[in-house]
Amino acid sequence: MSTVAASGGAMNSAGNRRAAAVAFAFLLALAGCATVREAREEGAWLDERERWLAAHPVWSVSGRLGLSDGERGGSLAFDWSADGERHRVHLRTLAGGQQWRLDFGPDGARLVGSDLEEWHGPDADRLVREATGWPIPVRWMRRWLVGLPAPDRAALRYAEDGTLAALTIDDWALDFQRLSVPPGYSVLMPARIEARHPPYRIRAALSGWSFERPVPSGGNPAEKAPTGRAPEAEPL
């Protein structure tokens, strides 16, 4: 009797393992299906994103930046917001001890922050380079972050599904390592980017995309789209 019970227990255990394996395989299949995008002609995804941003010129995104020059490096949290051609970038150390704010637009740039005098200049790239020593291409990053190429002469490479996978310009090489649709929206946006200019490397993990809808005639000027914010940016 005990032998039968033991045999039945072994059979139940084996059955449970098979059921767990089937369930695991099913979940993997679902995960794989969730990442599959429809294939489009090269540039079609870009056209859609251009139209979306033209209709939603006020946007913001949060995340983390990883910076390295081959010898030194670090990680920063950031919030980037835009209102048309005007941008504000708030950077802070992950411990919150130091922070900086860069405002720039057609009329110039202004940089303030911890242990830093207020800097002004006509060129955001030059201002950041002179103040921090890092050659960050701010003028291009404002388009790279939203998944658009910059400048126009950049060489582009597309993935099999027609999304923009990489670009090169001068000594910079950029990879759009992951794209996803932010919660609450329907547009495909970058979630992970890496830019390289040897020996410099910039990695960005993006989350919390937020877009402001156009205000309908007679509508509330303060009306905004759902924030779709994720609780945390993914690790770098």
Side-chain angles (χ1 to χ4, degrees), residues 213-234:
R213 291 194 181 110
V215 179
S217 177
N220 181 0
E223 182 184 358
K224 293 186 177 182
T227 61
R229 285 192 175 275
E232 293 289 341
E234 64 180 79

Side-chain angles (χ1 to χ4, degrees), residues 18-70:
R18 283 195 298 271
V22 170
F24 184 67
F26 179 69
L27 290 175
L28 287 178
L30 286 179
C33 291
T35 61
V36 174
R37 286 188 290 269
E38 63 174 298
R40 299 186 182 180
E41 294 182 1
E42 294 181 356
W45 292 100
L46 290 181
D47 292 342
E48 179 183 76
R49 196 174 300 123
E50 286 269 24
R51 292 192 298 270
W52 174 272
L53 291 166
H56 301 78
V58 179
W59 56 264
S60 63
V61 67
S62 301
R64 294 184 180 180
L65 286 178
L67 305 173
S68 173
D69 65 0

Side-chain angles (χ1 to χ4, degrees), residues 2-233:
S2 59
T3 302
V4 173
S7 176
M11 291 178 65
N12 288 336
S13 178
N16 289 339
R17 285 197 298 271
R18 283 195 298 271
V22 170
F24 184 67
F26 179 69
L27 290 175
L28 287 178
L30 286 179
C33 291
T35 61
V36 174
R37 286 188 290 269
E38 63 174 298
R40 299 186 182 180
E41 294 182 1
E42 294 181 356
W45 292 100
L46 290 181
D47 292 342
E48 179 183 76
R49 196 174 300 123
E50 286 269 24
R51 292 192 298 270
W52 174 272
L53 291 166
H56 301 78
V58 179
W59 56 264
S60 63
V61 67
S62 301
R64 294 184 180 180
L65 286 178
L67 305 173
S68 173
D69 65 0
E71 295 182 0
R72 60 193 175 109
S75 296
L76 298 170
F78 77 91
D79 299 291
W80 189 305
S81 60
D83 186 348
E85 292 298 311
R86 298 192 176 278
H87 296 255
R88 169 167 289 182
V89 187
H90 182 204
L91 294 167
R92 59 194 179 279
T93 57
L94 297 184
Q98 292 183 303
Q99 55 184 328
W100 302 267
R101 192 183 74 224
L102 172 68
D103 295 280
F104 68 96
D107 53 351
R110 173 176 176 264
L111 179 65
V112 296
S114 305
D115 303 323
L116 185 69
E117 297 179 359
E118 187 170 317
W119 290 62
H120 294 265
D123 183 346
D125 289 18
R126 182 176 179 181
L127 191 68
V128 170
R129 183 173 63 250
E130 291 181 350
T132 67
W134 291 87
I136 299 176
V138 178
R139 69 190 186 284
W140 296 341
M141 282 195 69
R142 66 188 176 91
R143 286 181 59 85
W144 293 352
L145 282 182
V146 293
L148 298 177
D152 292 340
R153 57 189 174 86
L156 310 182
R157 180 173 62 82
Y158 291 92
E160 291 183 358
D161 60 5
T163 57
L164 181 60
L167 65 82
T168 54
I169 176 66
D170 297 339
D171 293 326
W172 283 97
L174 180 78
D175 292 327
F176 293 96
Q177 296 180 332
R178 191 162 73 83
L179 301 168
S180 64
V181 176
Y185 299 109
S186 59
V187 64
L188 193 64
M189 299 299 293
R192 182 184 286 272
I193 300 172
E194 180 173 299
R196 297 176 302 281
H197 182 322
Y200 300 101
R201 184 174 68 159
I202 303 170
R203 294 172 295 155
L206 311 175
S207 66
W209 284 102
S210 177
F211 301 92
E212 186 167 329
R213 291 194 181 110
V215 179
S217 177
N220 181 0
E223 182 184 358
K224 293 186 177 182
T227 61
R229 285 192 175 275
E232 293 289 341

